[in-house]
Amino acid sequence: MPFITRFAPSPTGLLHIGHAYSAMLAHDTARDCGGTFLLRIEDIDQSRSREIFVAAILRDLDWLGITWDGPVRQQSQHMDDYKSALDRLQGMDLLYPCICTRKEIEKEVAASSFAPHGPEGALYPGLCKRRSRKELDAEILKGHPYALRLDMERALERLSNKPLSFRDIMGHVHEARPQDLGDVVLARKDTPTSYHLSVTLDDAIQGVTHVIRGQDLFHATHIHRLLQALLHLPTPIYHHHPLLRDSEGQRLAKRDNAPSLESLREEGWTPGDVRNEIARLLTAH
Ligand code: GLU
């Protein structure tokens, strides 16, 4: 069986040791089994993505001794792929526009005595689903920014509510429960796609057979599995690796507690030191 995996960072900041772990794990696994390791730059968020961070990612990976196969896929250059997938979902009548602001959503959730919650917090309470298309179209015509949401109920009905599952690298089968995340956004107000849509399509377009990424994206996989079923895309095998945590048990994050690889390099760390630190952090928790 072919083995094609990838590392897919967003160039919105400098990489830290948590990213190094993810990249090394995917890279080393591919190299150990004679597979392919791809690099994808996930830069759909044009307001936060920066070319200097793309350059820094390439520098850091090079320093770590991570080599990738083939050209780097940069998502911002493939917006047509995401648009055609959105058109297909639109053609199935599975999307609806949403003009809600974050504040409006929070207010609606707070006012409701029974607001359904999923593993990532409150689900979208359906304000725009209840608005008439006429009202929404009129607002959009006036220039109101809007997102496109997946109508989860219809999407599941379209698949005759058949159970969906995905397999992990250990051979365990997980039931996919996309309904636990509700009507997720598939095209954002500020960019005509979303993380969920682009990542699912790109993994299929690039022929990725094994997705290796952090545990924080486990629930996202349930949405990706649904999109694969709707768009007739293959389902890779998944591995959601543990997240590295600091001594207080806090997950390493770009902004707070994680020194960048660049700063570690400047302090005199070697790639070997990075590997040792990853091993230490993994065993500490
Ligand atoms: N671009 C995502 C991130 O930087 C990772 C996407 C993925 O591996 O599926 O968090």
Side-chain angles (χ1 to χ4, degrees):
M1 184 186 175
F3 185 101
I4 304 175
T5 192
R6 59 13 171 228
F7 176 54
S10 305
T12 55
L14 294 171
L15 299 187
H16 55 67
I17 217 157
H19 297 111
Y21 171 47
S22 211
M24 282 171 157
L25 185 62
H27 170 266
D28 295 358
T29 311
R31 294 292 172 246
D32 286 350
C33 69
T36 300
F37 174 75
L38 305 171
L39 176 62
R40 182 163 75 229
I41 300 292
E42 302 213 321
D43 60 347
I44 55 162
D45 187 339
Q46 288 295 297
S47 64
R48 292 174 60 224
S49 297
R50 299 276 178 276
E51 276 306 315
I52 51 161
F53 293 133
V54 176
I57 289 168
L58 303 186
R59 235 180 1 253
D60 287 343
L61 294 180
D62 185 47
W63 175 64
L64 290 170
I66 291 179
T67 52
W68 53 91
D69 301 305
V72 177
R73 183 172 167 99
Q74 198 149 343
Q75 288 188 325
S76 58
Q77 286 162 24
H78 297 276
M79 298 305 278
D80 286 354
D81 290 335
Y82 315 135
K83 162 107 182 47
S84 70
L86 274 180
D87 289 346
R88 283 171 66 195
L89 294 168
Q90 192 89 268
M92 297 179 219
D93 204 14
L94 299 181
L95 303 179
Y96 65 91
C98 173
I99 56 170
C100 292
T101 61
R102 199 172 293 225
K103 268 221 172 89
E104 280 166 341
I105 297 174
E106 278 166 13
K107 214 169 122 197
E108 176 77 6
V109 168
S112 152
S113 51
F114 176 72
H117 278 62
E120 296 185 347
L123 306 194
Y124 176 64
L127 280 165
C128 280
K129 206 170 174 173
R130 295 193 290 273
R131 283 185 174 123
S132 72
R133 280 287 163 108
K134 215 168 141 193
E135 182 193 346
L136 286 168
D137 287 347
E139 289 302 323
I140 291 166
L141 216 65
K142 277 192 244 160
H144 209 124
Y146 66 99
L148 291 175
R149 286 186 181 273
L150 180 69
D151 186 326
M152 185 57 72
E153 214 178 306
R154 275 202 206 178
L156 295 173
E157 267 167 24
R158 166 121 200 156
L159 301 171
S160 315
N161 290 301
K162 282 204 199 94
L164 294 171
S165 62
F166 58 91
R167 201 176 275 272
D168 69 26
I169 230 156
M170 304 299 288
H172 298 134
V173 176
H174 300 261
E175 181 198 351
R177 293 193 48 84
Q179 60 272 36
D180 290 351
L181 277 92
D183 290 359
V184 290
V185 167
L186 291 189
R188 292 159 39 157
K189 282 181 180 169
D190 57 343
T191 188
T193 183
S194 61
Y195 161 66
H196 291 310
L197 186 71
S198 316
V199 87
T200 307
L201 275 170
D202 282 352
D203 283 336
I205 291 169
Q206 294 191 284
V208 169
T209 59
H210 291 74
V211 171
I212 297 175
R213 61 184 175 200
Q215 185 67 39
D216 52 329
L217 293 169
F218 177 76
H219 296 294
T221 299
H222 295 232
I223 297 292
H224 304 173
R225 181 64 191 90
L226 172 64
L227 292 175
Q228 287 153 6
L230 293 170
L231 296 167
H232 305 292
L233 305 174
T235 302
I237 289 170
Y238 288 88
H239 175 58
H240 299 98
H241 62 70
L243 300 178
L244 299 187
R245 299 180 184 277
D246 67 14
S247 51
E248 262 107 63
Q250 290 298 317
R251 174 189 158 190
L252 297 186
K254 273 178 199 165
R255 257 171 254 117
D256 317 324
N257 52 356
S260 67
L261 294 175
E262 193 171 282
S263 66
L264 295 176
R265 186 161 63 240
E266 279 161 12
E267 274 175 38
W269 283 48
T270 64
D273 294 332
V274 173
R275 283 189 186 266
N276 288 341
E277 179 63 1
I278 290 170
R280 190 188 70 78
L281 290 170
L282 280 173
T283 46
H285 294 283

